Amino acid sequence: MPKVVGVNEGDPGDPSVREKRDKIREMMKHAWGSYREYGWGHNELKPLAKKGHSTNIFGNSQMGATIVDALDTLYIMGLQEEFKDGEEWIQQNLDFSVNAEVSVFEVNIRFIGGLLAAYYLSGQEMFKVKAVQLAEKLLPAFNTPTGIPWAMVNLKSGVGRNWGWASAGSSILAEFGTLHMEFVHLTYLTGNPAYYQKVMHIRKLLAKMDRPNGLYPNYLNPRTGRWGQHHSSVGGLGDSFYLLKAWLMSDRTDSEARTTYDQAVEAIERHLIRKSSGGSPSSASGRTATWSARWVT
């Protein structure tokens, strides 16, 4: 494996920092080892029951979500044996032709994101190939009257739908807003403009829409192109609309993303931030404000 700064070189001089780092690596080895023994190939592990588990976000299929999602962490920690085990499982077993209805958001960030990160770190072409294969399976989710993708898509049939609990059959801002990160990289790596065009269409559509108080509501109907209920949040449902990250990812050339971000943060500060009696910032609901954690980073 190629050397990565912080893995094979550049040990921290502070003994307490080294101790903490080594403890974190030990915890990772423990978690990975338990998954390897009791849940290998399953999406998740039930640690108390010591058996594999899957939820409806992955369509109850055994796609090894934990393996794919952990690859970059294993690599960065220098856990080469564990990384190789995961790489071999993906090479031999990861198949996206299953008849499974999955969450577009979760599969994008955990599978496509995980595979792309593993490719960038290791240089192994197989990871890029798998990421592209999966992206092709997600593209039918964008086949809506507006181009705003469905929350769920069947990997085999391409049929999409939204969560039953979402406002008036709407798609969710956090879910379709985060696709920009991985899909732009897919176009960069493959030269296929389709991925970039899909996510840029989302941004262009949002830019044309009226926003109550300058805020982006969390629900958007993919059939009508209208907002659902005007609920705005920078926590769940809205936290992954990565405008500033898009700007940074473009080497600060995507001025549209930065301008949109600045405008959104101004509206957040004006309408969602409140001050407690002690002077500390809090959200409109009274809880400590956490919007910076995802929108700013």
Side-chain angles (χ1 to χ4, degrees):
M1 297 169 68
K3 289 185 176 181
V4 176
V5 174
V7 175
N8 302 302
E9 297 177 353
D11 283 347
D14 187 336
S16 66
V17 174
R18 287 201 303 273
E19 182 181 356
K20 291 172 183 176
R21 181 197 60 180
D22 292 342
K23 184 62 178 180
I24 292 170
R25 184 187 286 124
E26 176 189 333
M27 293 166 67
M28 181 66 180
K29 285 177 67 69
H30 169 74
W32 178 265
S34 297
Y35 170 77
R36 184 74 173 81
E37 182 175 358
Y38 300 112
W40 192 240
H42 289 268
N43 291 319
E44 299 169 351
L45 169 68
K46 287 186 173 182
L48 298 182
K50 296 182 179 179
K51 63 180 181 180
H53 173 63
S54 187
T55 61
N56 64 338
I57 60 175
F58 301 122
N60 296 315
S61 57
Q62 294 187 29
M63 294 169 57
T66 293
I67 298 174
V68 180
D69 205 13
L71 281 175
D72 54 349
T73 302
L74 294 171
Y75 194 100
I76 291 169
M77 287 184 168
L79 299 176
Q80 299 187 18
E81 181 179 338
E82 290 82 356
F83 181 88
K84 288 296 183 184
D85 275 352
E87 180 182 6
E88 290 175 5
W89 186 91
I90 290 171
Q91 176 77 61
Q92 298 170 10
N93 300 286
L94 187 55
D95 179 15
F96 301 122
S97 61
V98 293
N99 183 17
E101 187 183 50
V102 301
S103 163
V104 174
F105 166 73
E106 294 288 351
V107 167
N108 173 69
I109 64 173
R110 306 194 186 284
F111 283 85
I112 294 182
L115 291 166
L116 290 179
Y119 169 71
Y120 278 121
L121 287 167
S122 71
Q124 296 297 321
E125 189 77 7
M126 179 268 295
F127 294 125
K128 182 179 78 171
V129 171
K130 292 283 188 181
V132 173
Q133 289 174 349
L134 178 54
E136 289 296 313
K137 295 288 187 178
L138 296 186
L139 285 180
F142 292 83
N143 295 337
T144 66
T146 61
I148 297 296
W150 300 112
M152 309 282 286
V153 70
N154 186 294
L155 294 177
K156 186 172 184 179
S157 68
V159 174
R161 68 178 179 91
N162 274 341
W163 300 106
W165 51 263
S167 172
S170 292
S171 300
I172 299 167
L173 179 68
E175 296 194 344
F176 62 76
T178 195
L179 300 174
H180 185 97
M181 306 297 292
E182 289 78 12
F183 274 55
V184 168
H185 274 281
L186 288 167
T187 286
Y188 170 75
L189 290 172
T190 66
N192 182 351
Y195 311 113
Y196 176 82
Q197 290 169 352
K198 295 293 185 186
V199 292
M200 287 305 296
H201 174 77
I202 293 174
R203 184 190 291 180
K204 299 298 184 186
L205 180 64
L206 292 176
K208 296 177 183 177
M209 299 182 65
D210 291 330
R211 296 184 293 278
N213 296 319
L215 296 167
Y216 288 89
N218 295 147
Y219 298 106
L220 180 59
N221 191 299
R223 295 185 185 277
T224 65
R226 298 189 181 94
W227 299 116
Q229 56 181 264
H230 286 185
H231 174 275
S232 296
S233 167
V234 286
L237 305 178
D239 56 351
S240 302
F241 187 22
Y242 291 138
L243 293 168
L244 188 60
K245 283 185 176 179
W247 175 68
L248 292 170
M249 189 175 74
S250 72
D251 197 20
R252 296 174 169 81
T253 61
D254 188 350
S255 58
E256 183 181 63
R258 180 56 196 260
T259 299
T260 305
Y261 167 81
D262 288 339
Q263 293 171 346
V265 168
E266 182 181 350
I268 289 168
E269 291 176 334
R270 186 183 308 117
H271 298 288
L272 294 185
I273 302 297
R274 301 288 185 270
K275 291 292 183 68
S276 67
S277 58
S280 300
S282 63
S283 69
S285 62
R287 298 171 60 189
T288 301
T290 58
W291 56 267
S292 62
R294 293 209 182 217
W295 280 65
V296 175
T297 57

